[in-house]
Amino acid sequence: MKKIFILFIALSIFSACSDKDFDINYDPDNLPPQQTTLALQLPAGMAGIAGAQGAYYTIFGGFWAQYYTQSNTAAQYRNLDAYNAGTNDYNRAWSAMYDGLGDLRNVKRKALEQSNWKYYLIATTMEVYASQLMTDFYGDIPYAEANQQEILEPKFNTGQEVYNLMIADLKTALSKDLSTTSTETPGADDFVYGGNMENWKAFANTLLLKIYMRQTKVNPTLAQTEITNLINSGVAFLDTDAAITQFEDAPNRSNPFYETDRRKLNVGTNIRTSTTMNSFLTANNDSRRENFYTPGVALNQGDFNNTALGSSAIGVLIIKPTDPLYFMSKTESLFLQAEALARYFGGTGAKEKYDAAVIEAFDRYSKDGSSFIASGGAYEYPNGTLEANLKAIITQKWISGFPANGFEAFFDQNRTGYPKISTVPQTNAAYVPGELAYSIQGTTAGVFPRRFVYPNSVQTTNRFAPDLEKITTPVWWAN
């Protein structure tokens, strides 16, 4: 119960704070010595990352991956659905994430001083996980100088620099001899794996795979070389979810997505069924549709000014207070491996990883996906051209991230082009189910968003902050 209590306290503190309470250079070392043990700081860092991801980046990604759309009888997320988010929106997303990173980096520094390699690996893995999410959304971010008390204005590393630093940090942490760990040992304070270090090594290895995979477009030689070496080395990849599961149906004890959208806003119908995802599930008789949305029709993406459809006619996103929060799922790991095998190993073993991933994605909802991957099934692996195989992999990965990991689907679309972007609006009979449609209320002249913009709080407090890029400008690896 202590583990759960600490998590709830951390999430409660996060949800109660205002923008001004967060500081990118907040240093937990300012706490009294008795409060700075690794076992107390690690859960604060994990909960901080979970809170920032679930309360903000989950919502960003879900709208832009077109898992759902804004209700036509509410206004909470209209700016996101219209690609109109600006520098005065969502300041807390950035500051909350860096607050969590501050705790993790403090754990990492102390673990290094103590040669406590178990905590060092956990903190490094979580640091890289959160930093990759940030750099993939924003581009240049503080990394090398971030969260240091003596540096009030940390310099921004370029996206490429951040990637190189993350790779080096993961390799360093993985190289340590965990059997020589001294002093504290992670256990109940590790919300994700309870101190199981084999799972943490697999998580770190899978993050490396994802970091290299993200560079298939911009740096194909490096991606091929490093991914081939990584797989040939025989390291273990994630085969169990990296997730926080200790949520309860009570205020400040729920999954952060639910807590933010349903409990804090006190509105249960803000987020509605999107034609994009719904049409694909319906066209393929995918039984997961009943787990994704309540009964009702879908709303075309961004059609929040629609007055013809009554609110009760449109389906609503289904989320629950006890839903797990996934940092990385077993399904995502399997799809990453399938893509690697399809790209660089002549497809050998790709179908097996793909099939296992689809089955796992159905199993999350206690459904049998075997008929979908069987011969003639709706999701049978093509075993065709590389592009056909990649389309199948990324499309199924897109579905599997629903409802809370849409940011990964958003990044994958920027990198691979899948799901494809529709050339016609969803009102057109030629619309292909599952293709992304430009928001009806879009404000970017037909161009989809490719990044998030820095918040005003960053621009006004750090002279090293880069010039603002348009929301439609791709980050470096998507060029």
Side-chain angles (χ1 to χ4, degrees):
M1 289 300 295
K2 178 181 178 183
K3 170 175 67 174
I4 299 175
F5 176 75
I6 293 174
L7 171 64
F8 294 152
I9 291 297
L11 288 177
S12 177
I13 291 172
F14 162 75
S15 64
C17 288
S18 64
D19 286 352
K20 65 182 180 181
D21 294 320
F22 291 111
D23 182 353
I24 193 173
N25 291 292
Y26 166 73
D27 188 354
D29 273 332
N30 291 328
L31 295 171
Q34 67 271 20
Q35 295 183 31
T36 61
T37 62
L38 297 173
L40 282 176
Q41 290 188 301
L42 179 64
M46 285 184 170
I49 301 305
Q53 173 182 318
Y56 301 110
Y57 296 104
T58 281
I59 296 172
F60 301 170
F63 274 98
W64 289 356
Q66 301 194 4
Y67 287 170
Y68 36 75
T69 190
Q70 168 65 50
S71 172
N72 61 346
T73 58
Q76 183 65 34
Y77 306 116
R78 288 190 174 196
N79 60 344
L80 281 175
D81 216 1
Y83 318 141
N84 196 31
T87 59
N88 290 320
D89 299 315
Y90 304 106
N91 279 262
R92 287 180 62 181
W94 175 283
S95 53
M97 186 64 86
Y98 270 99
D99 187 60
L101 278 166
D103 289 325
L104 291 172
R105 285 168 172 150
N106 198 53
V107 171
K108 183 179 174 181
R109 283 191 290 268
K110 290 188 174 185
L112 178 63
E113 292 169 1
Q114 299 172 14
S115 298
N116 192 320
W117 304 127
K118 291 182 179 179
Y119 275 101
Y120 187 81
L121 175 60
I122 293 173
T124 300
T125 303
M126 286 301 304
E127 173 193 28
V128 169
Y129 169 80
S131 297
Q132 183 175 35
L133 189 154
M134 293 296 281
T135 189
D136 287 351
F137 259 125
Y138 296 97
D140 300 354
I141 62 168
Y143 188 90
E145 293 186 354
N147 302 105
Q148 298 186 40
Q149 187 179 26
E150 67 277 13
I151 302 177
L152 299 179
E153 294 179 275
K155 291 182 180 179
F156 281 63
N157 295 104
T158 67
Q160 177 72 80
E161 289 172 345
V162 173
Y163 264 57
N164 293 340
L165 289 166
M166 291 191 300
I167 290 168
D169 284 349
L170 283 174
K171 287 184 174 181
T172 296
L174 284 165
S175 72
K176 301 299 184 182
D177 183 356
L178 300 185
S179 67
T180 64
T181 290
S182 60
T183 60
E184 300 174 76
T185 298
D189 55 311
D190 170 9
F191 297 152
V192 178
Y193 288 130
N196 184 321
M197 298 312 298
E198 291 305 309
N199 285 342
W200 278 106
K201 287 193 289 184
F203 188 4
N205 287 328
T206 313
L207 277 176
L208 273 176
L209 177 60
K210 183 164 73 170
I211 288 169
Y212 292 133
M213 193 70 73
R214 202 76 97 212
Q215 300 182 66
T216 53
K217 182 176 180 180
V218 71
N219 212 340
T221 301
L222 177 140
Q224 179 172 359
T225 300
E226 295 298 336
I227 290 172
T228 301
N229 290 342
L230 188 64
I231 291 178
N232 284 339
S233 71
V235 298
F237 295 111
L238 203 64
D239 63 358
T240 185
D241 297 328
I244 292 180
T245 61
Q246 302 93 339
F247 300 109
E248 294 181 3
D249 186 5
N252 296 320
R253 294 171 178 260
S254 305
N255 175 291
F257 187 15
Y258 182 93
E259 190 74 20
T260 299
D261 182 66
R262 301 294 162 88
R263 208 184 299 278
K264 297 300 182 185
L265 295 177
N266 199 28
V267 178
T269 58
N270 254 323
I271 301 179
R272 299 298 184 127
T273 306
S274 168
T275 293
T276 309
M277 176 65 78
N278 184 73
S279 65
F280 189 84
L281 299 175
T282 302
N284 290 286
N285 296 313
D286 192 320
S287 57
R288 289 174 293 183
R289 194 266 177 223
E290 66 184 16
N291 300 98
F292 288 9
Y293 311 110
T294 63
V297 300
L299 192 64
N300 292 340
Q301 196 69 35
D303 196 16
F304 49 73
N305 284 340
N306 187 317
T307 58
L309 285 174
S311 176
S312 61
I314 307 168
V316 177
L317 172 71
I318 296 174
I319 52 175
K320 299 176 182 178
T322 56
D323 284 343
L325 184 142
Y326 296 95
F327 295 124
M328 180 179 283
S329 66
K330 176 181 177 180
T331 307
E332 182 183 350
S333 172
L334 287 167
F335 278 126
L336 280 167
Q337 293 173 68
E339 182 180 352
L341 295 171
R343 284 185 182 274
Y344 306 125
F345 290 82
T348 302
K351 173 178 166 52
E352 288 74 17
K353 296 295 183 184
Y354 169 91
D355 286 354
V358 174
I359 291 294
E360 182 74 19
F362 273 86
D363 188 60
R364 182 182 293 182
Y365 300 96
S366 300
K367 294 184 181 296
D368 182 4
S370 59
S371 64
F372 286 85
I373 59 173
S375 178
Y379 301 145
E380 180 184 5
Y381 188 72
N383 270 329
T385 64
L386 176 59
E387 278 305 308
N389 295 340
L390 290 177
K391 179 181 180 181
I393 291 167
I394 302 302
T395 300
Q396 291 304 312
K397 192 179 176 188
W398 169 60
I399 302 172
S400 73
F402 191 96
N405 288 66
F407 46 85
E408 280 300 321
F410 171 69
F411 300 143
D412 275 338
Q413 204 287 327
N414 288 345
R415 176 176 64 91
T416 68
Y418 299 116
K420 287 186 175 181
I421 291 174
S422 178
T423 58
V424 298
Q426 290 175 322
T427 53
N428 192 307
Y431 171 73
V432 176
E435 290 192 350
L436 302 185
Y438 186 75
S439 171
I440 290 175
Q441 298 297 328
T443 58
T444 52
V447 183
F448 282 73
R450 297 301 182 193
R451 66 165 68 224
F452 219 77
V453 294
Y454 298 117
N456 184 60
S457 58
V458 173
Q459 291 285 306
T460 57
T461 60
N462 190 334
R463 60 184 155 153
F464 299 116
D467 293 336
L468 286 178
E469 295 278 6
K470 292 181 179 179
I471 203 170
T472 54
T473 301
V475 296
W476 69 279
W477 48 256
N479 283 311

